[in-house]
């Protein structure tokens, strides 16, 4: 039974994103979907001594309504240096920061001149998967021939990937037609994000919804133990 998940790419995603990747055999980046402003596509949160801080990649939006995620381009390439400086400033005292700093800094160096947001997200996702020991195949929806209809498109992606089991994020419950999966002979399961354990953070108030880099810098080799799929 081949397990498949389909999600839009996020910038330095939270730990739940990597749990989904680790729970399937093929993870398809759904980047020929419309780019959504003020979403996770080009931004995420890190923890600071003063609370949460957004790191956002500046992208071109004016006159680009309806653009796809894989068509979205960066307009100010200084973002990479700024983001790395913020990460260094806020995590330099984390227990395992020095163990992983060069690997993350290298991705920022690789991405500072990259034009497309999708490629930036992909590079960070792949490096973080490597750090966490996740070996799932990562592909693109554009590698496949897409069908019309939200649920129909997902069903066809899973079938074309040779899958018979689909893991969906809970937010998709608002639009997925479960019967279409059943008719196609595909098992549909919903990701459950409850049950995450708290870990060491450099702040008094714990926050789950931050970039997975927070977990990696604070727990190092033990970061895997705080993922649902690895605990």
């Amino acid at each position: 039974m081949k397990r498949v998940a389909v999600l839009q790419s996020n910038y330095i995603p939270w730990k739940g994103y990597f749990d989904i990747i680790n729970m399937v055999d093929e993870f398809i980046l759904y980047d020929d979907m419309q780019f959504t402003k003020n979403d996770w596509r080009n931004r995420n949160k890190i923890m600071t001594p003063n609370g949460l801080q957004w790191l956002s990649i500046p992208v071109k939006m004016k006159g680009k309504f309806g653009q796809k995620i894989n068509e979205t381009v960066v307009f100010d390439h200084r973002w990479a240096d700024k983001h790395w400086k913020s990460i260094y400033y806020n995590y330099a005292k984390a227990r395992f920061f020095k163990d992983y700093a060069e690997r993350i800094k290298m991705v920022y160096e690789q991405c500072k001149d990259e034009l497309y947001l999708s490629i930036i997200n992909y590079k960070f996702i792949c490096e973080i998967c490597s750090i966490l020991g996740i070996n799932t195949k990562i592909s693109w929806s554009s590698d496949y021939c897409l069908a019309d209809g939200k649920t129909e498109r997902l069903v066809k992606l899973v079938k074309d990937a040779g899958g018979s089991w689909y893991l969906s994020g809970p937010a998709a419950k608002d639009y997925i037609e479960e019967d279409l999966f059943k008719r196609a002979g595909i098992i549909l399961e919903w990701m459950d994000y409850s049950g995450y354990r708290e870990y060491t953070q450099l702040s008094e108030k714990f926050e789950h919804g931050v970039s997975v880099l927070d977990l990696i810098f604070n727990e190092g080799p033990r970061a895997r133990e705080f993922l649902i799929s690895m605990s």
Side-chain angles (χ1 to χ4, degrees), residues 75-93:
F75 73 80
D76 184 350
H77 292 280
R78 293 174 295 178
W79 72 270
D81 287 335
K82 291 178 180 178
H83 286 200
W84 173 248
K85 287 177 182 177
S86 291
I87 289 171
Y88 182 88
Y89 178 79
N90 289 292
Y91 288 106
K93 294 182 180 179

Side-chain angles (χ1 to χ4, degrees), residues 31-86:
D31 275 8
D32 49 8
M33 292 294 291
Q34 182 178 339
F35 175 82
T36 47
K37 190 177 180 181
N38 299 326
D39 211 335
W40 302 103
R41 310 292 83 79
N42 66 316
R43 64 178 191 163
N44 221 304
K45 293 181 283 188
I46 61 170
M47 187 63 74
T48 79
N50 298 316
L52 297 173
Q53 176 184 326
W54 284 99
L55 296 182
S56 300
I57 300 176
V59 297
K60 294 181 180 179
M61 287 296 298
K62 188 175 181 180
K64 297 286 185 178
F65 180 76
Q67 69 180 339
K68 297 177 181 179
I69 300 168
N70 59 14
E71 296 171 338
T72 302
V73 300
V74 177
F75 73 80
D76 184 350
H77 292 280
R78 293 174 295 178
W79 72 270
D81 287 335
K82 291 178 180 178
H83 286 200
W84 173 248
K85 287 177 182 177
S86 291

Side-chain angles (χ1 to χ4, degrees), residues 88-103:
Y88 182 88
Y89 178 79
N90 289 292
Y91 288 106
K93 294 182 180 179
R95 183 179 177 187
F96 295 97
F97 179 78
K98 291 181 180 179
D99 294 357
Y100 300 96
E102 284 304 312
R103 294 182 68 171

